[in-house]
Amino acid sequence: MDQNASGNNGISRTDDEKARHAKRLNLRELNATLESNENTKLDSSLKRHTALIKRIRQSLASDNRDQIIKDIDTLSLEKYVDELAGAVVEGVMRCKTEKDVWGAVEIISAIHRRFSKVFTPSLVANLTLAISAPSKASLASLSAEQKEKEDSARISKQRPTLRVCSELALVGIIRDAPERSGGEWIMKALKELLSNDPSLSSLPLLTTFLKAYARPFLGIGSPLHSKQISVDTEPGTLAGSQTNGPEHHFPPLANEQDELIEHDIRDRFKRMCEGYFDNVCKKLVIEHKRLQEQDKRNHEAYIRSGEIFEDRQQAYEKMTRSYEKLLASCQSLSELLYLPLPSLPTASQKSDSILISNSNQLNGDSEEVTVTGGKWEDEEERRFYEEIQDLKDFVPSSVLGVESTEVNGTDNKETDKERAEKEKEEVRKLEEELEKLNEGQVSEKKQEEQDEEDAPTPTPGTPKAGTPPLSPQLAPQGPSQLLTALLTRLPDCTNRALIDQAAIDFAFLNSKAARKRLVRFMSQIPRNRTDLLPHYSRLIATLNKYMPDIGTEIVATLDDEFRYLQRKKNVVKELAEARLRNIAFLSNLTKFHVVPGHVILHMFKVCLDDFSGTNVDNLALLMEGCGRFLLRSDETSERFGTMLELMKRKQSMQHFDQRQQLLLENAYYQCNPPERAPRQEKIRTPMELFIRHLIYDVLAKKTLDKVLKLLRKLDWEDETVKRALHKVFTKPWKIKYVNIPLLAMLTYDLQRYKPAFSIAVVDQVLEDIRRGLEQNLYSTNQRRLATIKYLGELYIYRLLSSSIVFDALWSIMTFGHPDGRPLPSQVVPLDMPDDFFRIRLVCVLLDTCGMCFDRGTQKKKLDNFLVFFQYYIFCKEPLPMDVDFMLTDSLEAIRPKLQMVKTLEQAASAVDDLFSTAYQGAVAEESGEDSDDEDERRDDDDRDEEDTEDSLEPDSPVDERAPSPEQEVVLSASNSLQEHLGPSEEEDADFAKELAKLVTDTSTESRKVDKKTALALWDSAVLPPVARKKRLDEEEHEVNGSAEPGTMAFTVITKRGNKQNTRAITVPAESPLAVHTRSAQLQDKVEQQHLKRLVLNYEQREEAEELKALEARNRAGAIKIRYVG
């Protein structure tokens, strides 16, 4: 079945290809016969020409083909040929299907037959620009993402354009010569497009071209899906395989005379595609290796730190996507060209783990320490030391002298043999030294080499005086001037690009004299410019491949300087910078493989033999500079590991000062870090992860309501969920510091639905504060600050009372001190005199909620605490500057006018006065403090609601809300006889005093109100006329029976500023206030009746006396009148 299906598929493909070939052949013959006779009756109207150009520009799809061809045949078009050429290119870019492409070819052919000399050259020029590669200058300023978007947009436009150009080359519109097809034009266009594309973004265009036009341009048929490519196929044998293997291509469609593309063009096209495929395959292998190396480094990073950082993960994903895209393109090309894919290497299983025996045990049973990781600490360092450019790619071989290096092959072999013998000798000496150490026969030896003493003593190089700058009139012309300019520029080459360019520039100036000048320059680097050593080492390593005498002479110079410094080891300070520069230069050259391994190991051995003084610093610098590299290189791993073991043993047997001990330990662990197990990630349930995500990631001001709704939807009956929520809400140090108020607000919102949960949160916070005071660990200071901040926010959102806050403040001051009283310079383990952290805690709590204690008993409590707080500060040592500033800012925020005490005696006397006053009035003042606090805060809410309701009235102010309003409340009742009713005189006096505070304005004198003044104020409290009328109406309403039974109505006066407002409240009739008020009202009523009778009797007496006086006057007159009342 499969064979029959594939056979039928091949036959259908052959038929389709034959049909397309016939259509192209017919259209080609038609295009060869140009229309020379112009019809004089053609339409030349501007409107129809404009409509045609617009239609062509919009699309050349098959739907518009008939109408466009009809317009082309009926319109003159002579004046619009150039516009037609531009419009055709734009319309071609909008073709999508094969029908659209063929319709565009027919339209272009129709125009070509009429205007072949004017239209066709302009069209070809526009098409050349359309399928050309973008300029490098335009892409240089774009970012990677912008380049990717630009490439995708360009390819989408160039794909239909390339197909139309290919068809035009087949039908005879695009030609290389009058009697030739346009195959070479297409080949050159594709070659230019692909050669100027280092990122391979134009590779899909080649795939599209080969799928549709491999048969006419290359002589290759489109592959079947079941096609299998032989691995034995060699590149370059494509033509032979096509002619010898009939299953690799379609049968010949026509004779050679009927082929649309010439045979030589087809062969050149094949070779070009094969060569490009080879280059793409090389790129694929390189990317595959890079991907494997990156995967290996990610694995090592995961082993080291237990996680892979986000930037590394994103880089790996981006590299994977580009590799998969390249692999898919290579597979498509392999199927289309019948070439095998390259064999991709598998991941190497070699481990970089190195075993070094632990030197702390001298009994022979040393443990092996496994060290993981590569030679380099990160990818950037690896690229710097390993990816060195090859000068042969930039400089001609004749300049580099590559031919002469082949002649010296025998000399290199002899030097390799000598080097191997030296390495064996070094290993033998090290083994003997270790045996002596194990037997306990270690003795200090002083080795003095006579030949070195007899030799002339080289002095450490001093920096050469800089050459004077060249004048702008005299530019450097000869090699010597160019070399001088290059050496002057070297100190500014502080990155890879600049130093690599300097190496190329020096290669063009290569000569024996130039190399000597470079070596002399490198030996005279300023001692304070050690930052240049890695870059200079890279320059030497780049040149050393083709100029080995540079590396040899520089290593010899550094070796001589090292020996000189060894002889001058008693000169410590003067030569310290020279030693640092010498060791750093040697270490960097070692990592570039310029310094042979046995040379650097010999230097290490020399320092180890005299393991004292400056050699300790030299060993530390060597281990820090190239120890990791030597320990992880296959050539030096074993010997350097043995040397490290020897060094550790000598270190344990000798005495070093603390500085040298730290130097050696840090250097050792830098080149051979201890094994560290991967961090175990805590396993959490999905629900716990979701809760943590809500609180730690999502919680913000804008998302507070959303988080609250999601938390309420959780299963609060599940103990696991409750435990997870409790952990998150009681660990405020795990969220951002600015989000702690949001966490407290969330706790307050949950209190309405889960009050037990909020209580548990508050209890745990108080317990954490107490635990912090008991432990006083420096490592927990940050979480203690977050916890105390959380406590203040919980108070602001009414989850605890002020007494708890003051208890926390006093506990911070007194916990751990004998009898709860800190003393000056008293040593307490939990609160040392030089420990100022408790002051920070108090400042954070006062900054959070101290502004709330600005009135009433809370203000008095805070004032008392601040008195003791100042005394506590004097018990400490002088405050550091940051703590002093923090304290000053906190006190200015809550008490701007606070007078700070100046001495310890003043603070102590103030504290004594405070305690004596507190002991005298503690019982009276603390009886209902907590409840008063909560009631006061609730009354504040009620008053805020009243203000909101009353703001709708015209007399009340709108949108006026004081920060801490004080409202006076007066009951409209008289209490002239209250000493005989209700409470006692003391309680009555206290009540009157507090009432006077509310009635009068808030001032310092308002607190000093005696009993008489309070009673007078009570008696003089009179309702305003509006409120009095309103009250009379309410009383009438109550008399009519509409009032609720068992209750009594009161009118409350509230005052804001200079305006008074009234409000009616209902009190149970059995309450003491109602009974007292009713009794007072009855007494007032009796008193009013009595006064009324007295007034009426007084009026009656006055009238009687007036009548008597009138009668007396009348009797004295002549006329006697009797007045009857």
Side-chain angles (χ1 to χ4, degrees):
M1 292 290 293
D2 295 339
Q3 293 179 355
N4 295 333
S6 62
N8 295 332
N9 194 8
I11 293 172
S12 62
R13 287 172 179 269
T14 305
D15 295 338
D16 293 341
E17 190 64 34
K18 285 182 178 180
R20 282 194 289 269
H21 179 76
K23 288 170 61 177
R24 291 166 183 158
L25 195 60
N26 294 333
L27 189 57
R28 182 177 182 178
E29 294 175 355
L30 187 61
N31 289 335
T33 59
L34 303 178
E35 299 179 3
S36 58
N37 296 328
E38 290 290 339
N39 191 355
T40 57
K41 297 182 179 180
L42 295 177
D43 191 356
S44 59
S45 65
L46 176 63
K47 184 176 180 181
R48 292 192 60 188
H49 282 81
T50 305
L52 174 63
I53 294 173
K54 183 178 180 181
R55 189 179 295 113
I56 291 175
R57 183 176 283 113
Q58 287 178 351
S59 176
L60 289 177
S62 57
D63 299 339
N64 299 333
R65 170 188 168 278
D66 297 336
Q67 181 62 35
I68 293 176
I69 291 179
K70 181 180 178 181
D71 291 342
I72 291 172
D73 294 337
T74 57
L75 296 178
S76 62
L77 301 176
E78 292 178 354
K79 299 179 182 179
Y80 305 94
V81 174
D82 292 336
E83 292 186 42
L84 281 175
V88 164
V89 175
E90 293 184 20
V92 162
M93 293 180 182
R94 292 178 172 82
C95 295
K96 296 181 180 179
T97 62
E98 185 178 356
K99 277 187 175 183
D100 295 341
V101 170
W102 186 250
V105 171
E106 291 181 335
I107 292 172
I108 294 172
S109 298
I111 304 175
H112 165 74
R113 288 194 294 270
R114 291 189 56 187
F115 308 102
S116 60
K117 294 182 180 180
V118 182
F119 170 76
T120 306
S122 178
L123 175 67
V124 173
N126 290 337
L127 290 175
T128 303
L129 293 176
I131 61 173
S132 61
S135 62
K136 295 181 180 180
S138 62
L139 297 178
S141 61
L142 300 179
S143 61
E145 296 181 357
Q146 291 175 337
K147 286 182 181 178
E148 188 175 355
K149 292 181 180 178
E150 186 71 20
D151 287 337
S152 61
R154 175 178 59 84
I155 290 172
S156 64
K157 294 179 180 179
Q158 288 182 342
R159 184 179 283 112
T161 307
L162 181 61
R163 295 185 65 179
V164 171
C165 290
S166 303
E167 293 287 353
L168 294 178
L170 293 175
V171 299
I173 294 179
I174 297 178
R175 290 179 176 272
D176 302 327
E179 298 299 329
R180 295 180 63 86
S181 65
E184 189 172 1
W185 187 91
I186 296 293
M187 183 177 66
K188 289 181 179 179
L190 270 177
K191 185 177 181 180
E192 182 184 0
L193 186 63
L194 298 175
S195 60
N196 294 326
D197 182 30
S199 62
L200 303 181
S201 59
S202 301
L203 190 57
L205 294 177
L206 180 61
T207 305
T208 302
F209 174 78
L210 292 177
K211 283 182 180 178
Y213 303 102
R215 171 65 188 86
F217 282 93
L218 277 74
I220 308 173
S222 300
L224 300 177
H225 292 289
S226 61
K227 184 72 213 159
Q228 297 295 331
I229 303 171
S230 174
V231 182
D232 299 332
T233 305
E234 294 293 336
T237 61
L238 181 61
S241 64
Q242 292 304 312
T243 55
N244 297 331
E247 70 279 8
H248 286 186
H249 63 91
F250 288 108
L253 302 176
N255 299 326
E256 184 63 32
Q257 294 81 8
D258 295 334
E259 289 291 342
L260 301 176
I261 302 297
E262 292 78 6
H263 187 271
D264 59 336
I265 300 298
R266 294 204 301 269
D267 290 342
R268 288 170 57 192
F269 222 139
K270 292 172 191 175
R271 289 194 295 271
M272 186 197 79
C273 293
E274 286 180 353
Y276 184 73
F277 177 74
D278 291 341
N279 294 332
V280 173
C281 289
K282 291 177 183 178
K283 176 78 171 176
L284 177 66
V285 173
I286 293 173
E287 292 295 325
H288 181 74
K289 290 180 180 179
R290 286 184 59 228
L291 185 63
Q292 287 187 335
E293 291 175 0
Q294 184 67 31
D295 185 39
K296 182 181 178 182
R297 286 191 293 273
N298 288 350
H299 180 69
E300 292 175 355
Y302 180 78
I303 294 298
R304 285 196 305 269
S305 60
E307 62 177 346
I308 299 177
F309 296 109
E310 185 177 358
D311 54 348
R312 186 184 290 267
Q313 183 68 23
Q314 290 178 355
Y316 179 74
E317 292 176 356
K318 184 177 180 181
M319 189 182 298
T320 304
R321 288 194 297 268
S322 62
Y323 169 75
E324 291 176 351
K325 185 177 179 181
L326 181 60
L327 179 61
S329 300
C330 285
Q331 290 175 347
S332 300
L333 287 179
S334 174
E335 294 177 359
L336 293 169
L337 296 174
Y338 297 100
L339 293 176
L341 280 173
S343 58
L344 301 176
T346 57
S348 176
Q349 300 298 327
K350 181 178 178 181
S351 174
D352 289 329
S353 299
I354 301 166
L355 300 179
I356 298 178
S357 58
N358 189 1
S359 59
N360 295 329
Q361 300 181 3
L362 302 177
N363 54 5
D365 299 333
S366 59
E367 297 179 358
E368 298 294 328
V369 181
T370 303
V371 182
T372 59
K375 301 176 185 178
W376 317 109
E377 294 182 0
D378 52 21
E379 177 65 15
E380 186 65 26
E381 186 180 11
R382 185 197 67 81
R383 290 178 181 174
F384 183 80
Y385 286 103
E386 287 189 352
E387 295 181 1
I388 301 175
Q389 64 180 358
D390 193 350
L391 291 177
K392 190 170 61 176
D393 298 337
F394 305 94
V395 182
S397 301
S398 59
V399 177
L400 295 175
V402 177
E403 294 81 8
S404 61
T405 58
E406 299 176 357
V407 181
N408 299 329
T410 57
D411 298 337
N412 294 334
K413 293 181 180 179
E414 294 178 359
T415 56
D416 292 341
K417 290 181 180 180
E418 294 177 0
R419 187 181 303 169
E421 292 177 359
K422 289 182 180 180
E423 292 176 357
K424 290 181 181 179
E425 184 67 20
E426 291 291 336
V427 173
R428 186 182 61 80
K429 290 181 180 180
L430 283 174
E431 291 176 352
E432 291 177 359
E433 188 74 19
L434 285 174
E435 290 177 0
K436 291 179 182 180
L437 281 174
N438 290 331
E439 295 172 2
Q441 300 176 356
V442 179
S443 62
E444 296 182 0
K445 296 184 294 181
K446 297 182 179 179
Q447 300 179 354
E448 297 179 358
E449 299 180 1
Q450 297 296 330
D451 54 344
E452 291 182 0
E453 292 180 357
D454 298 337
T457 302
T459 59
T462 57
K464 185 179 179 181
T467 58
L470 298 173
S471 61
Q473 290 83 9
L474 300 175
Q477 297 176 356
S480 178
Q481 288 83 358
L482 292 174
L483 181 60
T484 302
L486 175 62
L487 296 180
T488 306
R489 199 174 73 241
L490 278 182
D492 297 329
C493 298
T494 55
N495 57 40
R496 289 174 56 186
L498 292 176
I499 205 68
D500 290 345
Q501 184 60 40
I504 297 172
D505 296 342
F506 183 84
F508 282 104
L509 302 173
N510 181 23
S511 66
K512 188 174 183 180
R515 294 197 292 271
K516 285 185 177 181
R517 283 190 62 183
L518 180 64
V519 171
R520 189 164 57 252
F521 179 84
M522 290 295 174
S523 63
Q524 297 173 351
I525 301 174
R527 297 178 182 178
N528 58 348
R529 291 301 305 270
T530 54
D531 60 307
L532 297 173
L533 298 178
H535 303 286
Y536 285 1
S537 301
R538 182 178 175 88
L539 173 66
I540 296 168
T542 305
L543 299 174
N544 190 57
K545 184 176 180 181
Y546 300 100
M547 308 168 198
D549 54 335
I550 293 179
T552 304
E553 292 183 12
I554 289 178
V555 171
T557 303
L558 293 174
D559 191 17
D560 292 340
E561 185 180 5
F562 176 78
R563 293 173 186 272
Y564 167 77
L565 293 172
Q566 284 295 307
R567 287 194 298 273
K568 299 292 184 180
K569 56 190 173 186
N570 294 329
V571 184
V572 180
K573 293 184 179 179
E574 290 78 1
L575 298 177
E577 292 182 352
R579 290 189 181 92
L580 173 61
R581 185 197 60 184
N582 180 263
I583 298 297
F585 209 169
L586 286 168
S587 300
N588 282 284
L589 290 174
T590 301
K591 289 190 281 190
F592 280 109
H593 299 280
V594 177
V595 177
H598 69 277
V599 174
I600 195 69
L601 290 178
H602 173 73
M603 294 179 180
F604 196 91
K605 178 69 167 53
V606 169
C607 296
L608 199 56
D609 290 338
D610 186 11
F611 195 31
S612 62
T614 56
N615 282 336
V616 176
D617 298 346
N618 292 339
L619 284 174
L621 291 173
L622 279 172
M623 286 189 291
E624 290 177 358
C626 59
R628 184 186 181 100
F629 174 80
L630 294 173
L631 193 59
R632 286 160 177 77
S633 298
D634 297 336
E635 300 83 6
T636 58
S637 173
E638 182 180 357
R639 285 172 291 155
F640 190 71
T642 308
M643 286 186 176
L644 283 181
E645 182 181 356
L646 177 61
M647 187 204 72
K648 294 296 288 183
R649 292 188 180 185
K650 283 192 172 186
Q651 181 183 352
S652 63
M653 297 173 64
Q654 294 183 9
H655 176 71
F656 296 101
D657 58 19
Q658 187 176 6
R659 185 190 69 84
Q660 292 176 332
Q661 194 76 21
L662 287 175
L663 271 177
L664 292 174
E665 292 294 333
N666 291 340
Y668 176 77
Y669 287 116
Q670 187 169 349
C671 71
N672 182 27
E675 181 184 7
R676 191 170 57 175
R679 187 175 62 184
Q680 298 293 334
E681 186 177 1
K682 189 175 181 180
I683 301 176
R684 294 184 173 91
T685 61
M687 181 57 68
E688 187 174 358
L689 292 174
F690 175 70
I691 294 173
R692 292 169 62 87
H693 171 67
L694 286 180
I695 302 301
Y696 297 156
D697 301 332
V698 180
L699 183 61
K701 289 183 179 179
K702 297 181 180 180
T703 59
L704 186 65
D705 296 336
K706 175 184 176 182
V707 173
L708 176 63
K709 291 179 181 179
L710 292 174
L711 290 179
R712 287 182 58 195
K713 292 179 180 180
L714 299 178
D715 185 9
W716 286 79
E717 303 299 326
D718 189 356
E719 291 297 329
T720 306
V721 175
K722 290 175 66 175
R723 193 181 306 112
L725 287 168
H726 187 267
K727 285 182 181 180
V728 172
F729 274 83
T730 55
K731 295 181 179 180
W733 57 86
K734 289 193 174 183
I735 66 174
K736 296 179 182 178
Y737 191 76
V738 294
N739 285 348
I740 292 179
L742 302 179
L743 189 64
M745 192 184 303
L746 205 58
T747 310
Y748 168 72
D749 291 334
L750 289 173
Q751 183 190 20
R752 292 182 291 177
Y753 311 104
K754 305 293 179 184
F757 174 76
S758 300
I759 294 173
V761 170
V762 174
D763 290 344
Q764 186 62 45
V765 170
L766 295 174
E767 182 65 26
D768 291 340
I769 295 174
R770 180 76 175 189
R771 187 185 300 111
L773 294 174
E774 293 173 352
Q775 296 176 351
N776 194 29
L777 299 177
Y778 177 79
S779 58
T780 61
N781 283 355
Q782 189 172 3
R783 65 174 59 183
R784 289 174 67 187
L785 285 175
T787 307
I788 206 73
K789 168 78 171 177
Y790 192 34
L791 179 70
E793 296 293 342
L794 290 176
Y795 170 75
I796 290 177
Y797 290 103
R798 307 182 181 186
L799 290 166
L800 47 92
S801 62
S802 62
S803 60
I804 297 178
V805 177
F806 284 107
D807 288 345
L809 289 171
W810 284 96
S811 298
I812 294 172
M813 293 292 96
T814 60
F815 185 82
H817 292 274
D819 299 329
R821 183 75 178 264
L823 298 176
S825 302
Q826 182 181 24
V827 178
V828 178
L830 296 179
D831 190 16
M832 299 296 288
D834 59 348
D835 185 5
F836 309 100
F837 186 70
R838 292 194 180 187
I839 299 177
R840 290 180 181 273
L841 291 178
V842 173
C843 291
V844 169
L845 188 54
L846 292 180
D847 290 340
T848 305
C849 60
M851 72 290 296
C852 299
F853 309 135
D854 59 346
R855 56 198 173 95
T857 57
Q858 298 176 9
K859 181 178 181 181
K860 186 176 181 181
K861 282 184 179 182
L862 183 58
D863 294 337
N864 294 338
F865 171 77
L866 292 179
V867 172
F868 187 82
F869 185 39
Q870 296 181 67
Y871 167 75
Y872 175 82
I873 294 172
F874 279 104
C875 294
K876 296 285 185 179
E877 295 181 357
L879 299 181
M881 186 179 296
D882 58 337
V883 180
D884 192 10
F885 287 163
M886 187 177 187
L887 175 65
T888 304
D889 294 341
S890 300
L891 294 181
E892 286 182 357
I894 58 174
R895 293 292 186 269
K897 299 181 181 180
L898 178 66
Q899 296 293 331
M900 300 288 291
V901 293
K902 303 299 183 182
T903 61
L904 176 63
E905 291 75 12
Q906 296 178 3
S909 61
V911 171
D912 291 338
D913 295 341
L914 170 67
F915 284 166
S916 61
T917 305
Y919 290 151
Q920 293 175 2
V923 177
E925 293 183 358
E926 295 180 359
S927 58
E929 182 179 326
D930 293 344
S931 60
D932 291 343
D933 180 25
E934 297 301 323
D935 294 338
E936 185 176 358
R937 298 174 74 177
R938 293 192 183 94
D939 292 341
D940 289 344
D941 282 353
D942 295 338
R943 285 192 287 272
D944 291 342
E945 294 176 1
E946 293 171 17
D947 294 340
T948 305
E949 293 174 359
D950 296 338
S951 63
L952 300 176
E953 299 177 1
D955 295 337
S956 62
V958 181
D959 294 337
E960 182 178 319
R961 185 174 182 181
S964 56
E966 296 186 5
Q967 301 171 349
E968 289 74 11
V969 180
V970 179
L971 295 176
S972 60
S974 175
N975 60 343
S976 60
L977 301 176
Q978 72 175 20
E979 61 271 12
H980 304 291
L981 300 172
S984 62
E985 290 184 1
E986 294 181 357
E987 295 174 346
D988 205 5
D990 292 338
F991 177 78
K993 185 177 180 179
E994 294 296 328
L995 180 62
K997 291 181 184 179
L998 297 176
V999 173
T1000 59
D1001 293 333
T1002 303
S1003 62
T1004 307
E1005 291 77 7
S1006 65
R1007 302 176 186 275
K1008 302 176 182 179
V1009 181
D1010 56 358
K1011 182 177 179 180
K1012 294 181 180 179
T1013 307
L1015 293 177
L1017 290 172
W1018 174 263
D1019 292 336
S1020 62
V1022 180
L1023 289 174
V1026 179
R1028 196 180 306 127
K1029 182 179 179 182
K1030 183 178 179 181
R1031 184 186 175 192
L1032 292 175
D1033 296 338
E1034 290 175 355
E1035 287 178 355
E1036 292 177 1
H1037 187 66
E1038 184 177 351
V1039 171
N1040 293 333
S1042 61
E1044 297 181 4
T1047 60
M1048 186 173 183
F1050 282 82
T1051 301
V1052 181
I1053 302 175
T1054 60
K1055 182 179 180 182
R1056 183 184 295 273
N1058 295 326
K1059 294 188 178 182
Q1060 292 183 351
N1061 298 322
T1062 61
R1063 181 184 178 186
I1065 60 173
T1066 304
V1067 178
E1070 294 82 9
S1071 64
L1073 178 62
V1075 174
H1076 173 209
T1077 304
R1078 192 180 301 110
S1079 301
Q1081 286 179 350
L1082 291 175
Q1083 292 178 2
D1084 290 342
K1085 195 171 183 179
V1086 171
E1087 193 174 64
Q1088 287 177 1
Q1089 293 294 335
H1090 179 66
L1091 290 174
K1092 187 177 180 180
R1093 286 195 298 271
L1094 290 177
V1095 171
L1096 292 176
N1097 293 335
Y1098 176 74
E1099 291 178 353
Q1100 291 178 0
R1101 286 198 303 271
E1102 280 187 342
E1103 290 178 358
E1105 289 175 357
E1106 287 178 358
L1107 289 175
K1108 289 179 181 180
L1110 182 60
E1111 289 177 356
R1113 285 196 300 270
N1114 293 333
R1115 288 191 195 103
I1119 301 174
K1120 187 177 181 180
I1121 301 174
R1122 183 177 180 81
Y1123 178 78
V1124 180

